């Protein structure tokens, strides 16, 4: 409320004249509202963070990856070198007999095989095969070879006959398998004899003819020594 300066009559603030005496109140100046300068630059607040910069992380990861790659390459090179040395060693030692010049050759018609000169040809007897030849190696294992003409129709039939014969004689059949000798299927049979010794038969069959290695020893592993395996693998039917 405001009072008229002439008569003192109260009037409301916005009245233009006094309602009592007609005094005209002076017009009030409108106050301009306070404006904010939208272009005023506000102070910047720096955002604090504990995160590492992307570039730093990338550099660190590159360093770790580089180290891993170097270690991997070193391991691979080591494996390759070890494999190379192993292969070289294997190629030099896996077949020492066949790579040696100290070999003799046995030849009987269309059949032949090579054996180390350390084998001694010995006298032996085989009641069923009078033409058999006998050798002994340094481990005192006997290697007998013979060939016969047979009416059997297949290697399977021959193998079955030998199994039956062995069992009738009290021998125990430990192993019967088919192997490859001179590029053809052959029979490999291992027996534990009734007297405690072991006998191994390697049989090759071709055109009605049977070629046999009969190997006898007092221990099972003596029948599969490297020199014996090399002699068998060198067998050739012309």
């Amino acid at each position: 409320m405001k009072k008229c300066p002439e008569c003192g009559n109260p009037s409301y603030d916005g009245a233009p004249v006094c309602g009592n005496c007609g005094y005209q109140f002076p017009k009030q100046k409108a106050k301009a509202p306070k404006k904010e300068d939208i272009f005023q630059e506000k102070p910047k607040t720096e955002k604090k963070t504990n995160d590492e910069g992307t570039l730093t992380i990338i550099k660190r990861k590159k360093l770790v990856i580089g180290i891993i790659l170097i270690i991997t390459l070193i391991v691979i090179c080591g494996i390759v070198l070890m494999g190379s040395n192993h292969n070289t060693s294997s190629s030099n030692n896996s077949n020492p007999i066949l790579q040696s010049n100290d070999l003799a050759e046995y030849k009987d018609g269309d059949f032949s095989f090579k054996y180390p000169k350390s084998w001694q040809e010995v006298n032996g007897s085989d009641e069923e095969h009078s033409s058999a030849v006998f050798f002994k190696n340094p481990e005192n294992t006997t290697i007998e070879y013979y060939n016969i003409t047979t009416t059997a129709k297949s290697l399977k039939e021959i193998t079955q006959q030998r199994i039956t014969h062995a069992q009738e004689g009290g021998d125990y059949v430990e192993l019967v398998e088919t192997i490859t000798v001179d590029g053809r299927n052959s029979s490999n049979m291992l027996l534990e004899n009734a007297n405690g010794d072991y006998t191994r038969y390697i049989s090759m069959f071709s055109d009605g003819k049977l070629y046999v290695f009969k190997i006898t020893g007092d221990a099972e592993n003596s029948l599969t020594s490297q020199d014996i395996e090399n002699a068998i693998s060198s067998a050739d039917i012309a």
Side-chain angles (χ1 to χ4, degrees), residues 120-131:
Q120 294 182 355
E121 191 168 350
V122 295
N123 293 326
S125 62
D126 186 330
E127 296 179 357
E128 297 179 357
H129 311 102
S130 58
S131 61

Side-chain angles (χ1 to χ4, degrees), residues 9-21:
N9 186 61
S11 300
Y12 63 91
D13 288 338
V17 294
C18 177
N20 182 44
C21 67

Side-chain angles (χ1 to χ4, degrees), residues 12 52 74 83 93 99 126 131 148 166 174 196 201:
Y12 63 91
E52 292 183 295
I74 292 173
N93 298 324
Q99 290 183 358
D126 186 330
S131 61
I148 59 172
E174 286 201 357
Y201 289 92

Side-chain angles (χ1 to χ4, degrees), residues 142 166-174 191-201 214-220 223:
T142 301
Q167 291 174 338
E168 289 175 351
D171 298 333
Y172 175 73
V173 180
E174 286 201 357
L191 307 176
E192 183 179 356
N193 303 325
N195 62 2
D197 289 340
Y198 292 85
T199 301
R200 181 186 179 194
Y201 289 92
K214 180 180 178 181
I215 308 160
T216 306
D218 57 4
E220 184 175 338
L223 312 184

Side-chain angles (χ1 to χ4, degrees), residues 3 6 9 19 26 29 44 58 60 75 87-88 91 93 97 101-102 116 130 147 153 157 160 183 201 219 238:
K3 290 183 179 181
E6 291 293 332
N9 186 61
K29 294 181 179 180
K44 295 181 179 179
I58 292 174
R60 181 173 297 175
V75 172
N87 290 337
T88 302
S91 63
N93 298 324
I97 299 298
N101 292 325
D102 193 22
S130 58
N147 66 73
K153 301 300 182 183
E157 182 182 346
Q160 187 58 55
Y201 289 92

Side-chain angles (χ1 to χ4, degrees), residues 88-114:
T88 302
S89 175
S90 297
S91 63
N92 289 336
N93 298 324
S94 63
N95 236 354
I97 299 298
L98 291 183
Q99 290 183 358
S100 171
N101 292 325
D102 193 22
L103 289 174
E105 182 177 23
Y106 176 82
K107 192 170 180 64
D108 179 24
D110 58 354
F111 184 85
S112 65
F113 65 91
K114 294 179 181 180

Side-chain angles (χ1 to χ4, degrees), residues 57-68:
I57 295 174
I58 292 174
K59 287 182 178 179
R60 181 173 297 175
K61 286 186 177 181
K62 282 184 177 180
L63 180 61
V64 173
I65 292 172
I67 293 173
I68 293 174

Side-chain angles (χ1 to χ4, degrees), residues 155 159 176-179 185-189 201-204:
L155 186 61
T159 302
V176 179
E177 64 177 355
T178 299
I179 61 174
N185 286 339
S186 306
S187 172
N188 179 33
M189 182 185 297
Y201 289 92
I202 304 294
S203 304
M204 306 168 65

